[in-house]
Amino acid sequence: MYCAARIPTRRPGPRPGGMPGWSGEDPPLSAAAWTALLVTFAVAISVPGPDTFLLLRLGLRERRAAVRAALGIMVGNTIWTVASVLGLAALLRALPGVLPALQLLGSAVLIWLGAQSIGSGIRAHRDRGRTGSPGAGTASGAGAASASASATIGAVRHPLRLGLLTNLSNPKALLFFAALFSQILPAGASWLDRLAIVVALTALGLAWFVSFAWLTSASGFQRWFGRATPAID
């Protein structure tokens, strides 16, 4: 998810009678600008990445956890969007040391989350091996399998927070949002345009991620893909 992009070096010039780049003198965003913004964002969030893989993993376990994680992901995306319309690119140009520090921190968090997922997958694989071992009765085997599944679902704690951390720790998200808005959002865009962008991108992202979580937790999808849960973890 998200494509790395270079932050442009263009600086918004001062506007008479107000703060630099905040006077709202520029005309409203054109239809072409809106189209480019929405299409670019839609493609970015639909490309497989940490967010989609998290929803796929949780969706195979429990729908409620996947939907909550989708909401957490969109909280993260909304934070990125608000920061971008408030001048994230200008901040990164003014404080160049912030970018590598945030990228390093995000990479460390993603590595930690990945290690947790791998450990969870290994444990689930071992539990399935034990329940399927020879000599176990049918009833006891079914009961153990049910207990193992319940334990796996119970291990998904705080899915909303997990989705939020996964999204905010993605190093590419920072560059993507900063570069996208530097190219499309005029320096003198009005508050109405900025608010409309936040609302539109939040609604689009919410529709996509919740739908994806719902799809991956559907019974038909789970029957087809359920056995791959340890590998996905």
Side-chain angles (χ1 to χ4, degrees):
M1 176 179 164
Y2 306 123
C3 300
R6 182 180 178 182
I7 300 175
T9 58
R10 176 179 60 83
R11 297 173 181 266
R15 302 280 178 169
M19 295 179 62
W22 290 90
S23 61
E25 291 182 354
D26 289 345
L29 290 181
S30 64
W34 271 109
T35 302
L37 177 65
L38 296 178
V39 170
T40 303
F41 183 73
V43 171
I45 62 177
S46 61
V47 171
D51 293 338
T52 52
F53 283 119
L54 173 66
L55 295 182
L56 181 60
R57 181 168 66 90
L58 297 184
L60 293 175
R61 297 178 177 184
E62 184 187 17
R63 171 167 291 173
R64 183 172 58 181
V67 171
R68 288 182 177 179
L71 296 178
I73 289 170
M74 273 315 303
V75 172
N77 271 327
T78 303
I79 292 174
W80 287 123
T81 305
V82 171
S84 299
V85 300
L86 293 179
L88 176 62
L91 175 63
L92 294 178
R93 287 194 298 264
L95 302 173
V98 172
L99 178 59
L102 290 177
Q103 288 179 314
L104 182 61
L105 178 61
S107 299
V109 173
L110 282 180
I111 291 173
W112 177 77
L113 291 175
Q116 296 292 318
S117 296
I118 292 174
S120 176
I122 292 175
R123 288 191 296 271
H125 183 72
R126 289 176 177 174
D127 290 342
R128 291 186 180 187
R130 293 192 190 101
T131 57
S133 59
T138 304
S140 60
S146 176
S148 176
S150 299
T152 301
I153 292 176
V156 184
R157 298 173 181 173
H158 310 294
L160 191 146
R161 185 173 63 184
L162 181 60
L164 174 62
L165 287 176
T166 301
N167 183 266
L168 291 181
S169 62
N170 188 350
K172 292 184 179 180
L174 177 64
L175 291 174
F176 169 78
F177 278 96
L180 175 64
F181 285 95
S182 294
Q183 295 291 336
I184 294 179
L185 185 65
S190 67
W191 279 102
L192 183 60
D193 276 341
R194 297 172 192 271
L195 179 60
I197 288 174
V198 172
V199 172
L201 296 192
T202 301
L204 178 60
L206 193 62
W208 162 253
F209 285 114
V210 172
S211 298
F212 188 80
W214 194 272
L215 172 65
T216 57
S217 59
S219 57
F221 185 86
Q222 288 183 349
R223 285 194 299 268
W224 175 65
F225 209 64
R227 293 182 179 180
T229 303
I232 293 175
D233 282 336

